[in-house]
Amino acid sequence: MQSFHLPRSAAFGQLETLARERILILDGAMGTQIQGLGLSEEDYAGHGAGCACRHHSDHPQKGNNDLLILTQPEAIEEIHFKYAMAGADIVETNTFSATTIAQADYGMESAVHDLNAEGARIVRRALDRATAIDGKPRFVAGAVGPTNRTASLSPDVNNPGYRAVTFDDLRMAYGQQIRALIEGGADIILVETIFDTLNAKAAIFACFEAFAEHGTRLPVMISGTITDASGRTLSGQTPTAFWHSVRHARPFTVGLNCALGAAAMRPHLAELAAVADTFTCAYPNAGLPNAFGQYDEGPEDTAAQIGDFAREGLVNVVGGCCGTTPDHIRAIADAIAPFPPRVVK
Ligand SMILES: [Zn+2]
Protein backbone atom coordinates (compact mmCIF):
# COMPACT_ATOMS: atom_id res chain seq x y z
CA MET A 1 0.00 0.00 0.00
CA GLN A 2 2.95 2.36 0.47
CA SER A 3 3.22 2.79 -3.30
CA PHE A 4 6.98 3.47 -3.31
CA HIS A 5 7.27 1.05 -6.25
CA LEU A 6 5.20 3.44 -8.39
CA PRO A 7 6.87 5.76 -10.89
CA ARG A 8 7.22 9.29 -9.57
CA SER A 9 5.38 12.12 -11.30
CA ALA A 10 7.35 14.42 -13.63
CA ALA A 11 6.78 17.34 -11.24
CA PHE A 12 8.34 15.31 -8.40
CA GLY A 13 11.68 15.14 -10.22
CA GLN A 14 11.54 18.81 -11.23
CA LEU A 15 10.79 19.89 -7.67
CA GLU A 16 13.61 17.80 -6.25
CA THR A 17 16.10 19.31 -8.71
CA LEU A 18 14.93 22.86 -7.93
CA ALA A 19 15.00 22.27 -4.17
CA ARG A 20 18.66 21.24 -4.35
CA GLU A 21 19.49 24.47 -6.21
CA ARG A 22 17.67 27.02 -4.08
CA ILE A 23 15.14 27.64 -1.34
CA LEU A 24 11.65 27.38 -2.83
CA ILE A 25 8.85 29.82 -2.06
CA LEU A 26 5.37 28.77 -0.99
CA ASP A 27 2.45 31.23 -1.09
CA GLY A 28 0.75 33.05 1.80
CA ALA A 29 -2.67 33.19 3.43
CA MET A 30 -5.95 32.99 1.54
CA GLY A 31 -8.07 34.14 4.49
CA THR A 32 -6.61 37.64 4.70
CA GLN A 33 -7.04 38.20 0.96
CA ILE A 34 -10.60 36.85 0.97
CA GLN A 35 -11.53 39.10 3.91
CA GLY A 36 -10.28 42.04 1.89
CA LEU A 37 -12.91 41.30 -0.77
CA GLY A 38 -15.71 42.10 1.73
CA LEU A 39 -18.02 39.41 0.34
CA SER A 40 -21.67 39.06 1.43
CA GLU A 41 -23.71 35.92 2.12
CA GLU A 42 -25.06 36.21 -1.43
CA ASP A 43 -21.53 36.38 -2.83
CA TYR A 44 -20.49 33.29 -0.87
CA ALA A 45 -23.58 31.23 -1.69
CA GLY A 46 -23.58 32.42 -5.28
CA HIS A 47 -27.34 32.70 -5.47
CA GLY A 48 -27.13 35.75 -7.71
CA ALA A 49 -27.84 35.76 -11.43
CA GLY A 50 -25.41 33.85 -13.61
CA CYS A 51 -24.03 31.72 -10.79
CA ALA A 52 -22.42 28.54 -11.97
CA CYS A 53 -22.51 26.79 -8.60
CA ARG A 54 -24.89 23.85 -8.72
CA HIS A 55 -24.56 23.00 -5.04
CA HIS A 56 -27.06 24.41 -2.60
CA SER A 57 -27.59 24.11 1.13
CA ASP A 58 -29.96 25.59 3.69
CA HIS A 59 -27.03 26.62 5.88
CA PRO A 60 -25.57 30.14 5.68
CA GLN A 61 -22.36 30.00 3.60
CA LYS A 62 -20.61 33.22 4.67
CA GLY A 63 -17.24 32.12 6.01
CA ASN A 64 -17.13 28.97 3.85
CA ASN A 65 -14.03 30.25 2.04
CA ASP A 66 -13.49 27.03 0.10
CA LEU A 67 -16.91 27.43 -1.58
CA LEU A 68 -15.64 30.59 -3.30
CA ILE A 69 -13.79 28.25 -5.69
CA LEU A 70 -17.21 27.55 -7.23
CA THR A 71 -19.04 30.83 -6.57
CA GLN A 72 -16.25 33.44 -7.05
CA PRO A 73 -13.68 31.62 -9.21
CA GLU A 74 -12.22 34.77 -10.81
CA ALA A 75 -11.54 36.35 -7.42
CA ILE A 76 -9.83 33.20 -6.14
CA GLU A 77 -7.76 32.85 -9.32
CA GLU A 78 -6.64 36.47 -8.94
CA ILE A 79 -5.37 35.84 -5.39
CA HIS A 80 -3.39 32.80 -6.59
CA PHE A 81 -2.01 34.87 -9.48
CA LYS A 82 -0.87 37.65 -7.12
CA TYR A 83 1.02 35.12 -4.99
CA ALA A 84 2.62 33.59 -8.09
CA MET A 85 3.75 37.02 -9.29
CA ALA A 86 5.03 37.85 -5.77
CA GLY A 87 7.50 34.97 -6.18
CA ALA A 88 5.73 31.79 -5.08
CA ASP A 89 7.03 28.63 -6.79
CA ILE A 90 4.35 26.55 -5.10
CA VAL A 91 0.77 27.81 -4.69
CA GLU A 92 -1.82 26.07 -2.53
CA THR A 93 -5.37 25.28 -3.51
CA ASN A 94 -8.11 26.99 -1.48
CA THR A 95 -9.25 23.61 -0.18
CA PHE A 96 -8.19 23.62 3.48
CA SER A 97 -11.71 22.60 4.59
CA ALA A 98 -12.83 20.77 1.44
CA THR A 99 -13.62 17.40 3.02
CA THR A 100 -17.05 15.97 3.80
CA ILE A 101 -16.09 16.18 7.48
CA ALA A 102 -15.32 19.92 7.48
CA GLN A 103 -18.02 20.85 4.93
CA ALA A 104 -20.69 19.17 7.09
CA ASP A 105 -20.75 22.41 9.11
CA TYR A 106 -22.14 24.12 6.00
CA GLY A 107 -24.25 21.27 4.65
CA MET A 108 -21.98 21.28 1.59
CA GLU A 109 -20.71 17.69 1.60
CA SER A 110 -22.01 17.22 -1.94
CA ALA A 111 -19.66 19.93 -3.25
CA VAL A 112 -16.44 18.26 -2.06
CA HIS A 113 -15.42 16.63 -5.33
CA ASP A 114 -15.99 19.81 -7.35
CA LEU A 115 -14.27 22.03 -4.76
CA ASN A 116 -11.07 20.00 -4.98
CA ALA A 117 -10.99 19.26 -8.72
CA GLU A 118 -11.92 22.85 -9.60
CA GLY A 119 -9.71 24.23 -6.81
CA ALA A 120 -6.66 22.61 -8.42
CA ARG A 121 -7.67 23.75 -11.92
CA ILE A 122 -8.00 27.37 -10.77
CA VAL A 123 -4.50 27.38 -9.29
CA ARG A 124 -3.12 25.77 -12.47
CA ARG A 125 -4.75 28.53 -14.57
CA ALA A 126 -3.30 31.27 -12.35
CA LEU A 127 0.18 29.69 -12.45
CA ASP A 128 0.11 29.22 -16.21
CA ARG A 129 -0.72 32.93 -16.60
CA ALA A 130 2.25 33.84 -14.40
CA THR A 131 4.56 31.44 -16.24
CA ALA A 132 3.47 32.92 -19.59
CA ILE A 133 4.84 36.25 -18.29
CA ASP A 134 8.17 35.19 -16.78
CA GLY A 135 8.81 31.61 -17.92
CA LYS A 136 9.35 30.25 -14.38
CA PRO A 137 7.94 26.79 -13.56
CA ARG A 138 5.34 26.73 -10.80
CA PHE A 139 3.57 23.95 -8.93
CA VAL A 140 0.06 23.37 -7.60
CA ALA A 141 -0.05 22.10 -4.02
CA GLY A 142 -3.36 20.46 -3.14
CA ALA A 143 -4.05 21.69 0.41
CA VAL A 144 -5.37 19.08 2.81
CA GLY A 145 -6.38 20.54 6.19
CA PRO A 146 -6.70 18.78 9.56
CA THR A 147 -10.55 18.86 9.55
CA ASN A 148 -12.35 20.18 12.61
CA ARG A 149 -12.31 16.82 14.42
CA THR A 150 -9.53 14.91 16.12
CA ALA A 151 -9.07 11.14 16.08
CA SER A 152 -6.73 11.04 19.11
CA LEU A 153 -8.63 13.05 21.69
CA SER A 154 -12.13 13.12 23.11
CA PRO A 155 -14.08 16.39 22.80
CA ASP A 156 -16.15 15.24 25.82
CA VAL A 157 -14.40 15.67 29.19
CA ASN A 158 -16.88 13.26 30.79
CA ASN A 159 -16.14 10.52 28.26
CA PRO A 160 -12.42 10.34 27.52
CA GLY A 161 -12.81 7.23 25.36
CA TYR A 162 -15.19 8.95 22.94
CA ARG A 163 -14.00 10.00 19.48
CA ALA A 164 -15.90 12.36 17.19
CA VAL A 165 -14.18 10.80 14.17
CA THR A 166 -12.32 7.55 13.42
CA PHE A 167 -9.21 6.82 11.38
CA ASP A 168 -11.36 5.18 8.69
CA ASP A 169 -13.78 8.15 8.54
CA LEU A 170 -10.79 10.41 7.98
CA ARG A 171 -9.12 8.05 5.52
CA MET A 172 -12.24 7.95 3.35
CA ALA A 173 -12.88 11.70 3.52
CA TYR A 174 -9.25 12.51 2.73
CA GLY A 175 -9.22 9.91 -0.03
CA GLN A 176 -12.15 11.62 -1.75
CA GLN A 177 -10.42 14.99 -1.43
CA ILE A 178 -7.02 13.77 -2.64
CA ARG A 179 -8.41 11.90 -5.67
CA ALA A 180 -10.25 15.04 -6.78
CA LEU A 181 -7.16 17.22 -6.24
CA ILE A 182 -5.16 14.84 -8.44
CA GLU A 183 -7.96 14.81 -11.05
CA GLY A 184 -7.79 18.63 -11.13
CA GLY A 185 -4.04 18.59 -11.71
CA ALA A 186 -2.42 19.00 -8.30
CA ASP A 187 1.37 18.45 -8.51
CA ILE A 188 1.84 18.04 -4.75
CA ILE A 189 -0.34 16.94 -1.83
CA LEU A 190 0.24 19.23 1.16
CA VAL A 191 -1.06 17.85 4.46
CA GLU A 192 -0.96 20.95 6.64
CA THR A 193 -1.67 22.50 10.04
CA ILE A 194 -1.46 19.06 11.65
CA PHE A 195 -2.47 19.27 15.30
CA ASP A 196 -3.32 15.58 15.60
CA THR A 197 -0.78 13.18 14.10
CA LEU A 198 -3.39 10.41 13.83
CA ASN A 199 -5.45 12.62 11.48
CA ALA A 200 -2.28 13.18 9.42
CA LYS A 201 -1.59 9.45 9.30
CA ALA A 202 -5.06 8.92 7.86
CA ALA A 203 -4.31 11.57 5.21
CA ILE A 204 -0.97 9.91 4.40
CA PHE A 205 -2.65 6.51 4.09
CA ALA A 206 -5.25 8.08 1.78
CA CYS A 207 -2.42 9.54 -0.34
CA PHE A 208 -0.87 6.08 -0.77
CA GLU A 209 -4.24 4.62 -1.80
CA ALA A 210 -4.90 7.43 -4.28
CA PHE A 211 -1.39 7.20 -5.77
CA ALA A 212 -1.78 3.44 -6.23
CA GLU A 213 -5.04 3.99 -8.14
CA HIS A 214 -3.50 6.81 -10.16
CA GLY A 215 -0.39 4.74 -10.95
CA THR A 216 1.95 7.62 -10.08
CA ARG A 217 3.51 8.86 -6.85
CA LEU A 218 3.17 12.59 -6.18
CA PRO A 219 5.39 14.48 -3.74
CA VAL A 220 3.80 14.83 -0.30
CA MET A 221 4.51 17.79 1.96
CA ILE A 222 3.71 17.33 5.65
CA SER A 223 3.37 20.31 7.97
CA GLY A 224 2.61 20.19 11.67
CA THR A 225 1.61 23.00 13.97
CA ILE A 226 2.99 23.64 17.44
CA THR A 227 0.10 25.05 19.41
CA ASP A 228 1.61 25.83 22.78
CA ALA A 229 4.74 27.30 24.27
CA SER A 230 5.96 23.93 25.58
CA GLY A 231 6.68 22.99 21.96
CA ARG A 232 4.21 20.20 21.34
CA THR A 233 1.41 19.53 18.90
CA LEU A 234 -2.13 19.36 20.30
CA SER A 235 -1.84 15.55 20.35
CA GLY A 236 1.23 15.97 22.56
CA GLN A 237 4.22 15.35 20.29
CA THR A 238 7.57 17.11 20.17
CA PRO A 239 8.91 17.94 16.68
CA THR A 240 11.23 14.90 16.85
CA ALA A 241 8.37 12.53 17.76
CA PHE A 242 6.28 14.08 15.00
CA TRP A 243 9.01 13.35 12.45
CA HIS A 244 9.31 9.73 13.54
CA SER A 245 5.51 9.36 13.20
CA VAL A 246 5.43 10.50 9.57
CA ARG A 247 8.82 9.57 8.12
CA HIS A 248 7.44 6.27 6.76
CA ALA A 249 5.65 8.41 4.15
CA ARG A 250 9.03 9.54 2.75
CA PRO A 251 7.65 13.06 2.42
CA PHE A 252 9.17 15.56 -0.01
CA THR A 253 9.16 18.05 2.88
CA VAL A 254 8.39 17.96 6.57
CA GLY A 255 7.90 21.18 8.46
CA LEU A 256 5.81 23.53 10.52
CA ASN A 257 3.18 26.15 9.79
CA CYS A 258 0.69 28.49 11.42
CA ALA A 259 0.51 28.82 15.22
CA LEU A 260 2.69 31.29 17.04
CA GLY A 261 4.65 33.17 14.37
CA ALA A 262 8.25 32.85 13.17
CA ALA A 263 10.04 33.78 16.41
CA ALA A 264 8.27 31.08 18.43
CA MET A 265 8.60 28.58 15.58
CA ARG A 266 12.40 28.87 15.29
CA PRO A 267 13.54 26.41 18.02
CA HIS A 268 11.01 23.78 16.90
CA LEU A 269 12.05 24.17 13.28
CA ALA A 270 15.70 23.80 14.30
CA GLU A 271 14.86 20.57 16.15
CA LEU A 272 13.02 19.19 13.10
CA ALA A 273 15.79 20.26 10.70
CA ALA A 274 18.33 18.38 12.85
CA VAL A 275 16.48 15.05 12.73
CA ALA A 276 14.67 14.96 9.37
CA ASP A 277 16.48 13.35 6.42
CA THR A 278 14.28 15.13 3.89
CA PHE A 279 13.66 18.74 2.82
CA THR A 280 12.17 21.08 5.43
CA CYS A 281 9.41 23.64 5.02
CA ALA A 282 8.37 26.54 7.28
CA TYR A 283 5.47 28.95 6.81
CA PRO A 284 4.60 30.79 10.00
CA ASN A 285 1.81 33.25 10.68
CA ALA A 286 2.54 36.97 10.51
CA GLY A 287 3.30 37.04 14.24
CA LEU A 288 0.67 36.62 16.94
CA PRO A 289 -2.90 37.82 16.41
CA ASN A 290 -3.96 41.00 18.22
CA ALA A 291 -7.05 41.29 20.44
CA PHE A 292 -9.23 41.48 17.31
CA GLY A 293 -7.72 38.32 15.79
CA GLN A 294 -5.82 40.31 13.19
CA TYR A 295 -2.13 40.08 12.35
CA ASP A 296 -0.04 43.21 12.60
CA GLU A 297 3.42 41.91 11.68
CA GLY A 298 4.51 43.66 8.49
CA PRO A 299 6.21 42.05 5.48
CA GLU A 300 9.71 43.25 6.46
CA ASP A 301 9.42 41.85 10.02
CA THR A 302 8.23 38.42 8.94
CA ALA A 303 10.77 38.34 6.11
CA ALA A 304 13.69 39.22 8.41
CA GLN A 305 12.88 36.29 10.69
CA ILE A 306 12.46 33.86 7.81
CA GLY A 307 15.69 35.24 6.34
CA ASP A 308 17.34 34.14 9.59
CA PHE A 309 15.92 30.61 9.13
CA ALA A 310 17.68 30.58 5.75
CA ARG A 311 20.93 32.07 7.07
CA GLU A 312 21.04 29.33 9.71
CA GLY A 313 20.52 26.60 7.09
CA LEU A 314 17.21 25.38 8.50
CA VAL A 315 14.95 25.52 5.45
CA ASN A 316 14.33 24.29 1.89
CA VAL A 317 10.83 25.75 1.37
CA VAL A 318 9.42 28.89 3.04
CA GLY A 319 6.19 30.83 2.83
CA GLY A 320 3.51 32.40 5.01
CA CYS A 321 0.43 31.27 6.91
CA CYS A 322 -2.33 33.33 8.62
CA GLY A 323 -2.05 37.10 8.19
CA THR A 324 0.54 36.99 5.39
CA THR A 325 -0.06 38.76 2.07
CA PRO A 326 1.56 38.89 -1.39
CA ASP A 327 3.78 41.69 0.01
CA HIS A 328 4.96 39.31 2.75
CA ILE A 329 5.79 36.65 0.16
CA ARG A 330 7.70 39.15 -2.02
CA ALA A 331 9.70 40.31 1.03
CA ILE A 332 10.36 36.70 2.12
CA ALA A 333 11.60 35.80 -1.38
CA ASP A 334 14.00 38.78 -1.26
CA ALA A 335 15.18 37.94 2.26
CA ILE A 336 16.11 34.31 1.51
CA ALA A 337 17.60 34.97 -1.93
CA PRO A 338 21.24 35.32 -0.73
CA PHE A 339 21.23 31.97 1.08
CA PRO A 340 21.66 28.41 -0.17
CA PRO A 341 19.09 25.75 0.70
CA ARG A 342 19.55 23.55 3.76
CA VAL A 343 21.67 20.49 2.98
CA VAL A 344 19.80 17.25 3.61
CA LYS A 345 21.97 14.74 5.47
ZN1 LIG B 1 -2.04 29.84 9.95
Side-chain angles (χ1 to χ4, degrees):
M1 184 46 68
Q2 299 210 324
S3 64
F4 295 125
H5 61 284
L6 295 170
R8 303 194 318 172
S9 66
F12 202 148
Q14 268 181 294
L15 275 160
E16 206 160 61
T17 303
L18 284 170
R20 286 189 212 291
E21 289 168 4
R22 60 184 175 84
I23 297 171
L24 299 178
I25 306 292
L26 184 67
D27 66 348
M30 288 302 289
T32 323
Q33 299 302 299
I34 288 171
Q35 257 171 33
L37 300 172
L39 300 174
S40 67
E41 169 63 28
E42 286 284 286
D43 297 326
Y44 269 89
H47 290 155
C51 171
C53 183
R54 59 191 180 83
H55 302 283
H56 294 283
S57 154
D58 294 335
H59 294 58
Q61 297 299 321
K62 193 169 177 183
N64 188 1
N65 283 353
D66 298 37
L67 187 62
L68 299 173
I69 287 168
L70 301 178
T71 56
Q72 304 293 331
E74 294 88 3
I76 296 302
E77 182 179 330
E78 209 48 37
I79 297 170
H80 295 318
F81 178 73
K82 281 183 187 157
Y83 276 121
M85 292 312 293
D89 301 293
I90 300 169
V91 172
E92 288 187 48
T93 56
N94 184 38
T95 55
F96 187 79
S97 300
T99 54
T100 48
I101 292 171
Q103 284 297 316
D105 283 3
Y106 294 100
M108 271 294 174
E109 295 96 322
S110 68
V112 161
H113 170 271
D114 293 356
L115 288 174
N116 289 286
E118 206 45 41
R121 288 187 196 111
I122 288 179
V123 177
R124 186 73 267 165
R125 276 205 297 276
L127 301 194
D128 287 349
R129 279 168 58 204
T131 298
I133 294 168
D134 63 17
K136 288 200 279 186
R138 292 181 176 83
F139 303 88
V140 180
V144 173
T147 81
N148 46 2
R149 297 187 206 168
T150 160
S152 291
L153 306 165
S154 174
D156 179 356
V157 287
N158 296 313
N159 186 1
Y162 172 73
R163 296 293 180 269
V165 70
T166 67
F167 182 92
D168 264 344
D169 296 336
L170 287 161
R171 183 193 126 226
M172 290 193 315
Y174 282 134
Q176 183 188 12
Q177 175 173 37
I178 291 163
R179 285 181 193 96
L181 286 167
I182 295 172
E183 179 189 322
D187 299 305
I188 299 166
I189 301 299
L190 168 52
V191 181
E192 65 179 354
T193 324
I194 298 161
F195 57 81
D196 182 341
T197 305
L198 191 54
N199 288 40
K201 280 173 165 288
I204 290 165
F205 196 87
C207 282
F208 289 149
E209 291 185 309
F211 298 164
E213 288 168 22
H214 187 61
T216 312
R217 187 155 66 94
L218 272 61
V220 177
M221 298 174 68
I222 296 179
S223 185
T225 191
I226 302 288
T227 45
D228 69 80
S230 76
R232 287 171 188 263
T233 63
L234 188 69
S235 57
Q237 289 187 313
T238 62
T240 302
F242 174 63
W243 166 242
H244 287 291
S245 304
V246 299
R247 65 180 302 181
H248 67 284
R250 300 189 203 168
F252 172 63
T253 67
V254 67
L256 298 171
N257 73 291
C258 206
L260 307 169
M265 181 183 283
R266 198 209 150 277
H268 313 309
L269 176 64
E271 181 181 332
L272 202 51
V275 294
D277 56 358
T278 191
F279 296 121
T280 55
C281 177
Y283 53 116
N285 291 351
L288 288 166
N290 63 26
F292 306 101
Q294 286 156 345
Y295 295 85
D296 300 323
E297 192 175 273
E300 301 308 322
D301 273 356
T302 308
Q305 298 174 71
I306 292 180
D308 287 342
F309 293 173
R311 186 195 322 272
E312 293 168 40
L314 302 178
V315 284
N316 303 96
V317 181
V318 293
C321 200
C322 306
T324 58
T325 65
D327 286 342
H328 286 77
I329 296 306
R330 194 172 289 108
I332 289 167
D334 288 344
I336 59 94
F339 306 110
R342 164 178 165 271
V343 177
V344 179
K345 296 165 294 186

PDB file of all heavy atoms in Angstrom, residues 18 73 80 90 125 127 177 188 192 207 251 257 281 312:
ATOM      1  N   LEU A  18      14.995  21.447  -8.338  1.00  0.00           N
ATOM      2  CA  LEU A  18      14.930  22.863  -7.934  1.00  0.00           C
ATOM      3  C   LEU A  18      15.279  23.042  -6.462  1.00  0.00           C
ATOM      4  O   LEU A  18      15.979  23.991  -6.078  1.00  0.00           O
ATOM      5  CB  LEU A  18      13.529  23.425  -8.195  1.00  0.00           C
ATOM      6  CG  LEU A  18      13.178  23.741  -9.640  1.00  0.00           C
ATOM      7  CD1 LEU A  18      11.683  24.064  -9.760  1.00  0.00           C
ATOM      8  CD2 LEU A  18      14.018  24.914 -10.163  1.00  0.00           C
ATOM      9  N   PRO A  73     -14.941  32.190  -8.707  1.00  0.00           N
ATOM     10  CA  PRO A  73     -13.684  31.619  -9.210  1.00  0.00           C
ATOM     11  C   PRO A  73     -12.674  32.664  -9.698  1.00  0.00           C
ATOM     12  O   PRO A  73     -11.469  32.481  -9.520  1.00  0.00           O
ATOM     13  CB  PRO A  73     -14.138  30.699 -10.350  1.00  0.00           C
ATOM     14  CG  PRO A  73     -15.523  31.129 -10.701  1.00  0.00           C
ATOM     15  CD  PRO A  73     -16.124  31.694  -9.456  1.00  0.00           C
ATOM     16  N   HIS A  80      -4.470  33.740  -6.260  1.00  0.00           N
ATOM     17  CA  HIS A  80      -3.386  32.799  -6.588  1.00  0.00           C
ATOM     18  C   HIS A  80      -2.367  33.465  -7.523  1.00  0.00           C
ATOM     19  O   HIS A  80      -1.152  33.302  -7.366  1.00  0.00           O
ATOM     20  CB  HIS A  80      -3.942  31.542  -7.272  1.00  0.00           C
ATOM     21  CG  HIS A  80      -4.835  30.688  -6.421  1.00  0.00           C
ATOM     22  ND1 HIS A  80      -4.565  30.408  -5.091  1.00  0.00           N
ATOM     23  CD2 HIS A  80      -5.984  30.017  -6.715  1.00  0.00           C
ATOM     24  CE1 HIS A  80      -5.519  29.603  -4.614  1.00  0.00           C
ATOM     25  NE2 HIS A  80      -6.382  29.363  -5.570  1.00  0.00           N
ATOM     26  N   ILE A  90       5.378  27.538  -5.431  1.00  0.00           N
ATOM     27  CA  ILE A  90       4.350  26.552  -5.096  1.00  0.00           C
ATOM     28  C   ILE A  90       3.148  27.324  -4.559  1.00  0.00           C
ATOM     29  O   ILE A  90       3.303  28.142  -3.640  1.00  0.00           O
ATOM     30  CB  ILE A  90       4.860  25.574  -4.012  1.00  0.00           C
ATOM     31  CG1 ILE A  90       6.113  24.830  -4.504  1.00  0.00           C
ATOM     32  CG2 ILE A  90       3.771  24.593  -3.600  1.00  0.00           C
ATOM     33  CD1 ILE A  90       6.840  24.047  -3.400  1.00  0.00           C
ATOM     34  N   ARG A 125      -4.511  27.410 -13.634  1.00  0.00           N
ATOM     35  CA  ARG A 125      -4.745  28.526 -14.570  1.00  0.00           C
ATOM     36  C   ARG A 125      -3.951  29.760 -14.153  1.00  0.00           C
ATOM     37  O   ARG A 125      -3.310  30.416 -14.978  1.00  0.00           O
ATOM     38  CB  ARG A 125      -6.242  28.902 -14.590  1.00  0.00           C
ATOM     39  CG  ARG A 125      -7.086  28.069 -15.509  1.00  0.00           C
ATOM     40  CD  ARG A 125      -8.347  28.825 -15.954  1.00  0.00           C
ATOM     41  NE  ARG A 125      -9.261  29.175 -14.869  1.00  0.00           N
ATOM     42  CZ  ARG A 125     -10.183  28.364 -14.358  1.00  0.00           C
ATOM     43  NH1 ARG A 125     -10.305  27.130 -14.809  1.00  0.00           N
ATOM     44  NH2 ARG A 125     -10.986  28.785 -13.389  1.00  0.00           N
ATOM     45  N   LEU A 127      -1.272  29.907 -12.321  1.00  0.00           N
ATOM     46  CA  LEU A 127       0.176  29.689 -12.448  1.00  0.00           C
ATOM     47  C   LEU A 127       0.599  29.714 -13.909  1.00  0.00           C
ATOM     48  O   LEU A 127       1.674  30.235 -14.245  1.00  0.00           O
ATOM     49  CB  LEU A 127       0.572  28.359 -11.789  1.00  0.00           C
ATOM     50  CG  LEU A 127       0.245  28.220 -10.297  1.00  0.00           C
ATOM     51  CD1 LEU A 127       0.988  27.033  -9.702  1.00  0.00           C
ATOM     52  CD2 LEU A 127       0.560  29.488  -9.515  1.00  0.00           C
ATOM     53  N   GLN A 177     -11.024  13.687  -1.151  1.00  0.00           N
ATOM     54  CA  GLN A 177     -10.416  14.990  -1.429  1.00  0.00           C
ATOM     55  C   GLN A 177      -9.176  14.839  -2.318  1.00  0.00           C
ATOM     56  O   GLN A 177      -9.016  15.550  -3.314  1.00  0.00           O
ATOM     57  CB  GLN A 177     -10.028  15.687  -0.112  1.00  0.00           C
ATOM     58  CG  GLN A 177      -9.276  16.987  -0.355  1.00  0.00           C
ATOM     59  CD  GLN A 177      -9.010  17.792   0.901  1.00  0.00           C
ATOM     60  OE1 GLN A 177      -8.735  17.228   1.962  1.00  0.00           O
ATOM     61  NE2 GLN A 177      -9.093  19.096   0.770  1.00  0.00           N
ATOM     62  N   ILE A 188       1.360  18.370  -6.098  1.00  0.00           N
ATOM     63  CA  ILE A 188       1.842  18.040  -4.751  1.00  0.00           C
ATOM     64  C   ILE A 188       0.606  17.835  -3.884  1.00  0.00           C
ATOM     65  O   ILE A 188      -0.418  18.488  -4.120  1.00  0.00           O
ATOM     66  CB  ILE A 188       2.632  19.234  -4.160  1.00  0.00           C
ATOM     67  CG1 ILE A 188       3.865  19.578  -4.997  1.00  0.00           C
ATOM     68  CG2 ILE A 188       3.017  19.007  -2.691  1.00  0.00           C
ATOM     69  CD1 ILE A 188       4.479  20.944  -4.657  1.00  0.00           C
ATOM     70  N   GLU A 192      -1.464  19.801   5.870  1.00  0.00           N
ATOM     71  CA  GLU A 192      -0.962  20.947   6.641  1.00  0.00           C
ATOM     72  C   GLU A 192      -1.715  21.209   7.937  1.00  0.00           C
ATOM     73  O   GLU A 192      -2.775  20.660   8.184  1.00  0.00           O
ATOM     74  CB  GLU A 192      -0.979  22.207   5.774  1.00  0.00           C
ATOM     75  CG  GLU A 192      -2.356  22.650   5.374  1.00  0.00           C
ATOM     76  CD  GLU A 192      -2.345  23.931   4.538  1.00  0.00           C
ATOM     77  OE1 GLU A 192      -1.283  24.558   4.355  1.00  0.00           O
ATOM     78  OE2 GLU A 192      -3.424  24.321   4.076  1.00  0.00           O
ATOM     79  N   CYS A 207      -3.319   9.191   0.777  1.00  0.00           N
ATOM     80  CA  CYS A 207      -2.416   9.539  -0.339  1.00  0.00           C
ATOM     81  C   CYS A 207      -1.905   8.273  -1.008  1.00  0.00           C
ATOM     82  O   CYS A 207      -1.954   8.133  -2.234  1.00  0.00           O
ATOM     83  CB  CYS A 207      -1.207  10.337   0.149  1.00  0.00           C
ATOM     84  SG  CYS A 207      -1.517  12.069   0.478  1.00  0.00           S
ATOM     85  N   PRO A 251       8.178  11.814   2.957  1.00  0.00           N
ATOM     86  CA  PRO A 251       7.647  13.061   2.417  1.00  0.00           C
ATOM     87  C   PRO A 251       8.715  13.875   1.692  1.00  0.00           C
ATOM     88  O   PRO A 251       9.896  13.804   2.038  1.00  0.00           O
ATOM     89  CB  PRO A 251       7.151  13.808   3.663  1.00  0.00           C
ATOM     90  CG  PRO A 251       7.965  13.250   4.786  1.00  0.00           C
ATOM     91  CD  PRO A 251       8.208  11.808   4.422  1.00  0.00           C
ATOM     92  N   ASN A 257       3.871  24.955  10.248  1.00  0.00           N
ATOM     93  CA  ASN A 257       3.177  26.154   9.787  1.00  0.00           C
ATOM     94  C   ASN A 257       2.242  26.669  10.871  1.00  0.00           C
ATOM     95  O   ASN A 257       2.020  26.006  11.879  1.00  0.00           O
ATOM     96  CB  ASN A 257       2.405  25.881   8.483  1.00  0.00           C
ATOM     97  CG  ASN A 257       1.160  25.033   8.671  1.00  0.00           C
ATOM     98  OD1 ASN A 257       1.263  23.847   8.981  1.00  0.00           O
ATOM     99  ND2 ASN A 257      -0.002  25.621   8.489  1.00  0.00           N
ATOM    100  N   CYS A 281      10.286  22.570   5.487  1.00  0.00           N
ATOM    101  CA  CYS A 281       9.406  23.639   5.019  1.00  0.00           C
ATOM    102  C   CYS A 281       8.865  24.395   6.223  1.00  0.00           C
ATOM    103  O   CYS A 281       8.477  23.777   7.221  1.00  0.00           O
ATOM    104  CB  CYS A 281       8.257  23.020   4.231  1.00  0.00           C
ATOM    105  SG  CYS A 281       7.027  24.193   3.664  1.00  0.00           S
ATOM    106  N   GLU A 312      20.617  30.404   8.807  1.00  0.00           N
ATOM    107  CA  GLU A 312      21.045  29.325   9.710  1.00  0.00           C
ATOM    108  C   GLU A 312      20.951  27.947   9.059  1.00  0.00           C
ATOM    109  O   GLU A 312      21.216  26.938   9.726  1.00  0.00           O
ATOM    110  CB  GLU A 312      20.194  29.368  10.985  1.00  0.00           C
ATOM    111  CG  GLU A 312      20.447  30.625  11.817  1.00  0.00           C
ATOM    112  CD  GLU A 312      19.397  30.815  12.908  1.00  0.00           C
ATOM    113  OE1 GLU A 312      18.991  29.822  13.531  1.00  0.00           O
ATOM    114  OE2 GLU A 312      18.979  31.969  13.120  1.00  0.00           O
TER     115      GLU A 312
END
